[in-house]
Amino acid sequence: MTETASPSPDTSAAQVAHEIAVEQAHVDRVYAELAKAAQRAELVEAEGLARGRTDRTGDVRDEELTGLFERDALVFNAARRRTTLESQYEGLVFGRLDLEHSPDGSSAGFPDGSPDGYPDVSLDVSLRVPAREVRYIGRLGVRDDDYEPLVIDWRAPAASPFYRATPVEPMDVLRRRVLRCKGPTVVGVEDDLMVSDPPEDLVVVGDGALMAALTRSRGKQMRDIVATIQRHQDEAIRAPSRGVTEITGGPGTGKTVVALHRAAYLLYSERRRFETGGILVVGPSAAYTAYIERVLPSLGEESVTLRSVGDVVDGVTAVRLDSPEAAAIKGSLSVRQVLSRAAHDLAPGAPTEFRAFVAGRAVRVDAQRLRSIRSHVLRSAQHNLATAAARTALAEAAWVAAHREGERADFLDRFADSLDVDAFMARWWPQLDPREVLLWLADPERARSYSHGVLSEADAGLLSASIQRALATGQWSVADAALVDDLSARLGPVQETPSEERGFYEIEEYDNLDSYGVAEVRTTGQRVGRVEERGYDVTPADARERLLHGEVGRSESYAHVLVDEAQDLSPMQWRMVGRRGRSASWTVVGDAAQASWPGAREAREARGEAFGAQERRQFHMETNYRNAREVFDYARKVILRHVPDADIPNAVRETGVEPRELPLGPDVRSAAEAALEDLVSEVEGSVAVITPLRYAGELAPLSGLGNGRVQVVDPMSTKGLEYDATVVVDPGEITAESPGGVRVLYVALTRAAHRMTVLT
């Protein structure tokens, strides 16, 4: 944490009001210029719409095409600029620097000779910089009519002293001020003094910007703390874009905030590269993405794709969690062999031999020859892209089976035009949706056969049961997304030819074992009844429609991939994310002590494969800004008993209030309500009841209490989140049911900023 001088004890309320009024005057001027800039952008947009118009109804000439292109480009850029300017973000102007430069006119605050943060402008600093300078920092760069900077974009080199200046290395900064705003209104200021002997006219207000930010209540969405980023965090944000940047640290050290600001900084510093190639941000859960979704837009960036790990694959949306045992099976690389066998197998209901009349002769290709064709074709092509190759190979086999009588060319032509062959190919070599292939594993016989020699019989049963649950609920699990992606890479994109085979849930009889011992199937077309007796009010057809809704898209490649809570990704999930970052640079955030994935070695290898041979750099965050010391000490003692080498940060803030331990008792809801009653009165912001699945239904009605401030959440969904206060229900049960055991409990115990009650 930055060292700060104590505020002057002589700072009066009148002086504070005066300082706020001074800042308000500047902020008013900035918003006035912003409104004028928005109007100019609107005029440019209108001008663009007027361009390229033509009354011609015939051919369009080259110059008219050029006019249309210019119009579209002008309208697009003007509309984009207008949207940016009209977005009224909280705290558009959030910082001020008072600098005093050295006598020779040089400035540590202008590392690139760009005082206003616009790299295209070259200025003679010695002529422009006064002895004393005031520099305002904000989310966007704003100039006045004379093109003088009113606000410097926080990502610009000239803004770096706002984050990097310390009393040891002040970088010419006398005073760093944070402006607290509600919309366009300045409601307070907090100062950090960087020199021991400040000028007499320099007023210092408040207890220091960082501590003021830390004591503010948490809302439903993460606040960007761009105004309070510290030097070591800023170094990670502005690290070189190439290679792999790893950000590690314990709970509450600001890893997520740093990573998101890094994404915004990369877009600013190398806009063409990252805006064209795109940035993918992968978080642990849908709750997490909802929590942080405001951060990057509030920093002026809209060019980022934000996905939870269950939403990375187009066509799969997953929030449901498997049991720890099933998740471990699906996440391990050994499941790849199971999926490979499924991808090479026949679809349910596919014929096992070919019979047709071609060129007046009966032709038969037996099951062994069909398996040989299938195996040969799939050695060099993906299934969905190999239909033509399979048909050609089948034609050659049919020619041999016809004893090569007559003209070969005539036979092959007749074969190509045969409707019987068309019907056979539609059933024998259909286009396969990878989600459909994964659903085959709900058949216990298929799951057992594909898993032979790879998984134990018990694990094969668990795998099959987990897919059956998807069919019963109409919901994929988070772990399923990586399996669908693996199958998609094996099968290739689905081509336009529709697939009309029935789903395997209609299977009733089995015969004709294939090369893996998997039964070929006959379908009866009978519909299975509703599955309400299993506890789900959904028909198999409805569930299947939900699971197969939309299309599985290709794995789009990005220029930069940011992974938060990286310690939780399974090896299969690392392969899934890696397919989207084959040529990307990376930012990876994590803490091993909070891991929910148990197999660290295999995950580390899959992670290394995703990164490739790129240069790696690491930044370690050591200061816990989130938790009050009392809260974190409680969590620290729990984790160190089980993980002695856990990365323990230094909590810098105290409340004087120790966490409470209360008995759970037989009436869990009453105990939780009593705990909430106290916490809601003690804090102004959000309060979470973190409960294991065992009590989730009983405690769900508590959501919305405290004027909507209370929410009930499971431990895994708290990853990356923070609250003003928490009620942690039954730590022993959280440990028992969680895939990471006590590490997930550690996550739950470090979500509270100010107050925590533990029901035990």
Side-chain angles (χ1 to χ4, degrees), residues 108-119:
F110 293 165
D112 293 346
S114 306
D116 56 1
Y118 295 84

Side-chain angles (χ1 to χ4, degrees), residues 3-144:
E3 301 174 22
T4 60
S6 299
S8 169
D10 299 326
T11 304
S12 66
Q15 285 177 308
V16 173
H18 174 74
E19 293 298 306
I20 291 176
V22 169
E23 306 304 354
Q24 185 66 64
H26 187 80
V27 169
D28 289 344
R29 185 181 173 196
V30 170
Y31 274 96
E33 291 296 332
L34 203 67
K36 288 159 62 175
Q39 290 174 357
R40 288 194 294 268
E42 188 173 356
L43 291 174
V44 172
E45 185 179 0
E47 179 186 348
L49 289 171
R51 287 193 184 187
R53 290 178 178 168
T54 176
D55 294 330
R56 296 178 180 273
T57 56
D59 294 336
V60 180
R61 296 178 302 178
D62 290 344
E63 58 267 26
E64 291 169 342
L65 285 173
T66 301
L68 290 170
F69 176 80
E70 290 177 349
R71 179 200 66 186
D72 291 343
L74 200 62
V75 169
F76 173 78
N77 288 306
R80 180 177 176 178
R81 176 63 173 164
R82 179 170 55 82
T83 300
T84 300
L85 294 172
E86 289 178 349
S87 298
Q88 299 298 307
Y89 302 121
E90 177 187 353
L92 171 63
V93 186
F94 57 73
R96 166 178 167 159
L97 290 174
D98 290 82
L99 302 102
E100 186 170 63
H101 302 293
S102 56
D104 63 1
S106 63
S107 171
F110 293 165
D112 293 346
S114 306
D116 56 1
Y118 295 84
D120 58 318
V121 179
S122 177
L123 298 172
D124 184 347
V125 175
S126 64
L127 295 178
R128 290 290 305 276
V129 177
R132 288 275 292 272
E133 179 196 1
V134 174
R135 194 181 302 173
Y136 284 90
I137 313 299
R139 307 193 196 293
L140 299 172
V142 180
R143 301 175 188 254
D144 63 15

Side-chain angles (χ1 to χ4, degrees), residues 248-249 567-568 590-597 600 643 645-647 743 746:
T248 62
Q567 75 279 349
D568 289 341
D591 174 25
Q594 300 181 65
S596 61
W597 175 255
V643 187
D645 61 345
D647 185 354
R743 296 173 189 264
Y746 181 49

Side-chain angles (χ1 to χ4, degrees), residues 233-288:
Q233 297 172 320
D234 188 64
E235 289 171 352
I237 289 171
R238 298 172 192 261
S241 62
R242 304 286 177 177
V244 181
T245 299
E246 297 184 79
I247 301 172
T248 62
T253 53
K255 302 184 299 295
T256 296
V257 170
V258 170
L260 294 175
H261 285 72
R262 174 167 171 75
Y265 175 73
L266 293 178
L267 277 166
Y268 175 83
S269 60
E270 297 183 51
R271 180 167 295 279
R272 178 173 297 181
R273 174 187 170 199
F274 291 112
E275 193 170 57
T276 300
I279 293 180
L280 173 66
V281 177
V282 179
S285 67
Y288 167 91

Side-chain angles (χ1 to χ4, degrees), residues 186-216:
V186 181
V187 296
V189 295
E190 295 286 340
D191 293 334
D192 291 332
L193 193 61
M194 296 295 160
V195 293
S196 58
D197 186 21
E200 292 183 2
D201 61 340
L202 197 69
V203 178
V204 181
V205 177
D207 296 324
L210 178 62
M211 296 309 291
L214 295 176
T215 56
R216 287 173 56 190

Side-chain angles (χ1 to χ4, degrees), residues 391-473:
R391 185 166 184 142
T392 298
L394 179 63
E396 294 293 344
W399 167 246
V400 172
H403 306 294
R404 305 186 181 184
E405 297 178 1
E407 290 291 333
R408 179 175 181 275
D410 179 64
F411 178 87
L412 295 180
D413 285 344
R414 296 285 189 90
F415 190 92
D417 293 336
S418 171
L419 294 178
D420 288 342
V421 173
D422 291 344
F424 175 82
M425 287 298 299
R427 297 174 60 215
W428 180 61
W429 204 282
Q431 290 292 299
L432 293 177
D433 186 318
R435 297 167 297 184
E436 182 79 70
V437 176
L438 184 58
L439 290 178
W440 296 352
L441 292 172
D443 176 359
E445 291 299 323
R446 285 198 174 233
R448 189 177 302 115
S449 177
Y450 298 154
S451 302
H452 181 69
V454 180
L455 303 177
S456 68
E457 191 160 327
D459 283 351
L462 279 173
L463 178 60
S464 181
S466 72
I467 304 301
Q468 290 171 12
R469 181 167 174 80
L471 269 176
T473 61

Side-chain angles (χ1 to χ4, degrees), residues 170-192:
M171 301 178 70
D172 291 346
V173 177
L174 299 173
R175 178 183 66 185
R176 173 176 55 210
R177 169 168 289 178
V178 172
L179 280 63
R180 291 189 291 110
C181 299
K182 288 186 177 179
T185 303
V186 181
V187 296
V189 295
E190 295 286 340
D191 293 334
D192 291 332

